């Protein structure tokens, strides 16, 4: 069993940067795909980014491509989401999730989730 804890959210202005962290405990998730999803108020949860267990393969939603970077440090059992050039539409609760196996943008296939961290971007 893997437990995930997100951190790093906060209130920032448009154009600022934030780095989210997703720390795992319990079973190591070094062989799992890890993804970030986000959910804005009144909207469905949407895929944001994913990274393979090696860190060599990444995927991004079109809305964040070129601004967000996902990375992982398996020795520290942590996955990061560097968010640059933030926009008000990036405001959401950000969740990390993991699964054994490959990347999917469908949140239904992820096996374990964190509780989320709030990101608010003011204009």
């Amino acid at each position: 069993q893997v437990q995930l804890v997100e951190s790093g959210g906060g209130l920032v202005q448009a154009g600022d940067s934030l780095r989210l962290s997703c720390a795992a405990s319990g079973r190591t998730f070094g062989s799992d795909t890890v993804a970030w999803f986000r959910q804005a108020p009144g909207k469905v949860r949407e895929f944001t980014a994913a990274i393979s267990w090696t860190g060599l393969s990444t995927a991004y939603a079109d809305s964040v491509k070129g601004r967000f970077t996902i990375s992982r440090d398996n020795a520290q059992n942590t996955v990061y989401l560097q968010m640059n050039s933030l926009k008000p539409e990036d405001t959401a609760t950000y969740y990390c999730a993991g699964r054994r196996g490959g990347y999917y943008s469908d949140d239904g296939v992820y096996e374990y989730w964190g509780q989320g961290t709030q990101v608010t971007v003011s204009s």
Side-chain angles (χ1 to χ4, degrees), residues 32-37 47-53 57-61 99-106 109-110:
D32 295 359
T33 292
V34 178
W36 286 94
F37 289 81
F47 169 77
T48 304
I51 188 165
S52 65
W53 73 274
S57 295
T58 58
Y60 298 92
R99 69 182 305 271
R100 283 164 285 195
Y103 141 75
Y104 288 91
S105 60
D106 177 1
V109 304
Y110 285 81

Side-chain angles (χ1 to χ4, degrees), residues 22-120:
C22 172
S25 61
R27 174 180 68 78
T28 177
F29 71 178
S31 59
D32 295 359
T33 292
V34 178
W36 286 94
F37 289 81
R38 65 186 185 182
Q39 187 167 22
K43 295 189 176 181
V44 299
R45 187 160 56 189
E46 64 176 12
F47 169 77
T48 304
I51 188 165
S52 65
W53 73 274
T54 63
L56 297 179
S57 295
T58 58
Y60 298 92
D62 288 343
S63 58
V64 306
K65 204 170 292 183
R67 299 188 298 122
F68 290 13
T69 303
I70 189 171
S71 62
R72 69 191 297 163
D73 182 341
N74 287 341
Q76 297 296 321
N77 243 13
T78 303
V79 171
Y80 304 98
L81 185 67
Q82 178 67 43
M83 306 187 297
N84 298 330
S85 302
L86 283 161
K87 304 175 181 180
E89 51 263 46
D90 295 319
T91 295
T93 301
Y94 284 72
Y95 301 89
C96 62
R99 69 182 305 271
R100 283 164 285 195
Y103 141 75
Y104 288 91
S105 60
D106 177 1
D107 62 357
V109 304
Y110 285 81
E111 299 165 9
Y112 50 90
W113 292 79
Q115 294 300 306
T117 186
Q118 177 67 36
V119 172
T120 302

Side-chain angles (χ1 to χ4, degrees), residues 8-31:
L11 171 63
V12 297
Q13 293 187 328
D16 286 351
S17 298
L18 277 176
R19 189 176 80 156
L20 305 184
S21 298
C22 172
S25 61
R27 174 180 68 78
T28 177
F29 71 178
S31 59

